[in-house]
Amino acid sequence: MARPSIVWFRDDLRLADNPALRAAIDRGEPIIALYVLDEESPGVRALGGAARWWLHHSLASLGERLRERGATLVLRRGPAAQVVREFVTDASAGAVFWNRRYGGPERTIDAALKAGLREDDVEVASFAGSLLFEPWTVTTGAGTHFSVFTPFWRACLALPAPRSPLPEPREVDGVRQAPASDSLDDWGLLPQHPDWAGGLRETWEPGEPAARRRLRDFLDHDLAAYDRARDEPAAGATSLLSPRLRWGEVSPHTVWHETVGAGHGGRFLSELGWREFAWHTLFHFPGLATESLRPEFDAFPWPPLDRTRLEAWQRGRTGIPLVDAGMHELWTTGYMHNRVRMVASSFLVKNLLIDWRHGEQWFWDTLVDADEANNPFNWQWVAGSGADAAPYFRVFNPELQAKKFDPDGRYIREWTAGTPSETIDPLVDLGESRKAALAAYERVKRGARA
Ligand code: FAD
């Protein structure tokens, strides 16, 4: 009797260039596609609100595309290791395939599950689908992982080039009677009371087809100006691929090869390199979201949390136009331009003296591209405690940044028009607060030397 193959989808919600799906098709038995919403396993970080919104729509799109090709996406909820193992038994499956994850708790789950399934005599195989280079393949001469980006990326580029993307399957041969699925609507991933997702709906179309269209559009129309205009938030010059990469609607391999094919993409590809660097850092340092990568920063003398200030920052009411514009863009669309992310996060940490973890959590809840590597990695970079971080004494001046990157004020006008930040006074004096931050950082430095 045929023992079906299960493809366990995770952060790879696509059909094209999906090695796990390809392996299942090659095995030749009927296929069941599975997605598990795991909010219970120890250490797995519960998704933020904007991420849940994206996930809902991306799963709806994936389910539809699988159905058109002949297979069913089954949804289940619960601790993944247990749910998958029971599912495999109930479905009398002969094989399970997935693409690898690189966070600590996820790797623990996957390793235990792999061992358990093999004991049950089920074939299991995992694949590289979400990163261009596997973290254990990029090491220094001494066999350790890199803590500085430039040599890291040079080492990546010296490895064999990322494999070519796999073609999208035209058919996925499903089982005749698919196991029961949860209803996506019952998962309650979409906000309801209140429904704050209007701006997200206007801005984004989740799902693989839109991701592929966006990649083509970017390469055809924006790549040529990317190096020049990528830092200008009003220019619309960046790819907007971050949520698509976060959810795996398009693979980094596809982005890599199509960019290489389009020519002059070195700078853009190095941004994908930062994504790799963040994920490799998480792989080697699973506590990235909570612990300073440089332990001496744990001694940073954070003042007691000033909730009023934190809230003013979250709501875009700091009186600093570029920061407020960014925070409004984030709240409305689930996205913020990279330059503005740097300025807004630096302002929180270095002018308001609020622990970066509070900012990281807010971004985690509000970004559609929030992921467990890029978000804490970049926050630590800004705070000065991270890998290849901005030096602690680099305090972005939001006014100079605005002059340089938004000279005609277009971005600021777009996102602050009609909001209180047009009229309110700055929450802090930029010069004074900068001095206070530098004094606090001095204490960390002295502690490190002592
Ligand atoms: P592009 O400029 O078109 O870059 C292409 C791709 O490269 C991006 O889609 C992204 O996958 C990757 N990339 C670009 N810059 C970075 C970077 N600095 N670090 C890692 N990868 C990068 N990015 C996330 O994907 N998720 C996050 O949760 C996230 N949190 C951030 C928090 C802070 C405080 C800061 C300063 C940056 C954060 N970033 C995060 C990085 C960056 O801001 C976004 O990846 C970028 O703005 C996405 O827009 P884009 O796709 O148009 O980028």
Side-chain angles (χ1 to χ4, degrees), residues 15 40-41 46 79 99 114 140 147 156 176-177 201 224 230 246 248-249 255 264 269 295 325 354 378 406 424 449:
L15 302 183
E40 293 168 48
S41 296
N99 298 313
K114 203 178 242 185
T140 64
S147 55
C156 290
R176 222 169 294 143
Q177 178 87 52
R201 283 193 293 273
R230 59 182 287 276
R246 179 327 175 191
E249 295 172 351
V255 177
H264 51 249
L269 291 178
I354 292 180
N378 278 287
D406 190 33
I424 52 181
R449 257 192 256 117

Coordinates of all heavy atoms in Angstrom, one line a residue, residues 15 40-41 46 79 99 114 140 147 156 176-177 201 224 230 246 248-249 255 264 269 295 325 354 378 406 424 449:
L15 N 6.0 27.2 -3.8 CA 6.1 26.0 -4.6 C 7.4 25.9 -5.4 O 8.0 24.9 -5.5 CB 4.9 25.8 -5.6 CG 3.5 25.8 -4.9 CD1 2.4 25.6 -6.0 CD2 3.4 24.8 -3.9
E40 N 3.2 26.8 21.3 CA 3.3 26.1 22.6 C 4.6 25.6 22.9 O 5.0 25.4 24.1 CB 2.2 25.0 22.6 CG 0.8 25.5 22.6 CD -0.2 24.4 22.4 OE1 -0.1 23.4 23.1 OE2 -1.1 24.6 21.5
S41 N 5.4 25.2 21.9 CA 6.7 24.6 22.2 C 7.6 25.6 23.0 O 7.6 26.8 22.7 CB 7.4 24.2 20.9 OG 6.7 23.2 20.3
A46 N 6.2 33.6 20.1 CA 4.9 33.8 19.5 C 4.9 34.9 18.5 O 5.6 35.9 18.7 CB 3.9 34.2 20.6
P79 N 2.0 22.0 19.8 CA 3.4 21.8 19.8 C 3.9 20.9 18.6 O 3.5 19.8 18.5 CB 3.7 21.1 21.2 CG 2.3 20.6 21.6 CD 1.3 21.4 20.9
N99 N 12.3 21.9 4.8 CA 13.5 22.8 4.7 C 13.9 23.3 6.0 O 13.0 23.6 6.9 CB 13.1 24.0 3.7 CG 12.7 23.4 2.4 OD1 13.4 22.6 1.8 ND2 11.6 23.9 1.8
K114 N 13.1 14.3 14.0 CA 13.8 13.5 13.1 C 14.2 12.2 13.7 O 14.0 11.1 13.1 CB 15.1 14.2 12.6 CG 15.6 13.8 11.3 CD 16.9 14.6 10.9 CE 16.6 15.4 9.6 NZ 17.8 16.2 9.1
T140 N 35.9 30.9 9.9 CA 37.2 31.6 9.7 C 38.2 30.5 9.6 O 37.9 29.3 9.8 CB 37.5 32.4 11.0 OG1 37.6 31.4 12.1 CG2 36.4 33.4 11.4
S147 N 32.7 37.4 13.2 CA 31.9 38.5 13.9 C 32.0 39.8 13.2 O 31.5 40.8 13.7 CB 32.5 38.6 15.3 OG 33.9 38.9 15.2
C156 N 31.9 33.9 2.1 CA 30.7 33.3 1.4 C 30.9 33.3 -0.1 O 30.7 32.3 -0.8 CB 29.4 34.1 1.7 SG 28.8 33.9 3.4
R176 N -5.9 10.8 -2.1 CA -7.3 10.9 -2.5 C -8.1 11.5 -1.4 O -9.0 12.4 -1.7 CB -7.8 9.5 -2.9 CG -8.6 9.6 -4.2 CD -9.0 8.2 -4.7 NE -7.8 7.5 -5.2 CZ -7.6 6.2 -5.1 NH1 -8.5 5.4 -4.5 NH2 -6.5 5.6 -5.6
Q177 N -7.9 11.1 -0.2 CA -8.7 11.6 0.9 C -7.8 12.3 1.9 O -7.1 11.6 2.7 CB -9.5 10.5 1.6 CG -10.3 10.9 2.8 CD -11.7 11.3 2.3 OE1 -12.4 10.6 1.6 NE2 -12.1 12.5 2.8
R201 N -3.4 45.9 4.3 CA -4.1 45.4 3.0 C -3.8 46.3 1.9 O -3.7 45.9 0.7 CB -5.6 45.4 3.3 CG -6.1 44.2 4.1 CD -7.6 44.0 4.1 NE -8.3 45.1 4.8 CZ -8.6 45.2 6.1 NH1 -8.2 44.2 6.9 NH2 -9.3 46.2 6.6
A224 N 18.8 49.3 -11.1 CA 19.8 50.2 -11.7 C 20.1 51.4 -10.8 O 21.2 51.8 -10.7 CB 19.4 50.6 -13.1
R230 N 19.1 53.8 -2.5 CA 18.6 52.9 -1.5 C 18.4 53.5 -0.1 O 17.7 53.1 0.7 CB 19.5 51.7 -1.4 CG 20.9 52.0 -1.1 CD 21.7 50.8 -1.0 NE 21.4 49.9 0.1 CZ 22.0 50.1 1.3 NH1 22.9 51.1 1.5 NH2 21.7 49.3 2.3
R246 N 11.1 36.7 4.4 CA 10.8 36.2 5.7 C 9.9 35.0 5.7 O 10.1 34.0 6.5 CB 10.2 37.4 6.5 CG 9.8 37.3 7.9 CD 9.3 36.3 8.6 NE 8.9 35.9 9.8 CZ 8.6 34.6 10.1 NH1 8.8 33.7 9.2 NH2 8.2 34.3 11.2
G248 N 9.4 33.1 3.1 CA 9.9 32.1 2.1 C 9.0 32.1 0.9 O 8.9 31.0 0.2
E249 N 8.3 33.2 0.6 CA 7.4 33.1 -0.7 C 8.3 33.2 -1.9 O 7.9 32.8 -3.0 CB 6.5 34.3 -0.6 CG 5.5 34.2 0.5 CD 4.7 35.5 0.7 OE1 5.0 36.5 0.0 OE2 3.7 35.5 1.5
V255 N 16.2 34.9 -5.8 CA 16.6 36.3 -5.8 C 18.0 36.4 -6.3 O 18.3 37.3 -7.1 CB 16.4 36.9 -4.4 CG1 16.8 38.4 -4.4 CG2 14.9 36.8 -3.9
H264 N 24.8 44.1 -12.6 CA 25.1 45.1 -11.6 C 24.3 45.0 -10.3 O 23.7 46.0 -9.8 CB 25.0 46.6 -12.2 CG 23.7 46.9 -12.9 ND1 23.7 47.1 -14.2 CD2 22.5 47.0 -12.5 CE1 22.4 47.3 -14.6 NE2 21.7 47.2 -13.6
L269 N 23.1 42.4 -3.6 CA 23.4 41.0 -3.2 C 24.0 41.1 -1.8 O 23.8 40.2 -1.0 CB 24.3 40.3 -4.2 CG 23.6 39.9 -5.5 CD1 24.6 39.2 -6.4 CD2 22.4 39.0 -5.3
P295 N 29.1 40.5 25.8 CA 28.6 40.4 27.2 C 28.9 41.6 28.0 O 28.1 41.9 28.9 CB 29.4 39.2 27.8 CG 30.2 38.6 26.7 CD 30.1 39.5 25.5
A325 N 7.9 60.0 11.6 CA 7.4 59.6 10.3 C 7.6 58.1 10.2 O 6.7 57.3 9.8 CB 8.2 60.3 9.2
I354 N 16.5 53.9 26.3 CA 15.6 52.8 26.6 C 16.2 51.5 26.0 O 16.7 51.5 24.9 CB 14.2 53.0 26.0 CG1 13.5 54.1 26.8 CG2 13.3 51.8 26.0 CD1 12.1 54.5 26.3
N378 N 19.8 43.4 14.1 CA 19.9 44.8 13.7 C 19.8 45.7 15.0 O 20.4 46.7 15.0 CB 18.9 45.1 12.7 CG 19.4 44.8 11.3 OD1 20.3 45.4 10.7 ND2 18.9 43.7 10.7
D406 N 16.3 62.9 3.3 CA 15.0 63.3 2.9 C 15.0 64.8 2.7 O 14.3 65.6 3.4 CB 14.0 62.9 4.0 CG 12.5 63.1 3.6 OD1 12.2 62.9 2.4 OD2 11.7 63.4 4.5
I424 N 4.1 69.0 18.1 CA 4.6 68.9 19.4 C 6.1 69.2 19.5 O 6.8 69.0 18.5 CB 4.3 67.4 20.0 CG1 4.8 66.4 19.0 CG2 2.9 67.3 20.4 CD1 4.5 65.0 19.5
R449 N 37.1 47.2 30.5 CA 38.6 47.3 30.7 C 39.1 46.8 32.1 O 40.2 46.3 32.2 CB 39.0 48.7 30.4 CG 39.6 48.9 29.1 CD 40.3 50.2 28.9 NE 39.5 51.1 28.1 CZ 39.0 52.3 28.6 NH1 39.2 52.6 29.8 NH2 38.3 53.0 27.8

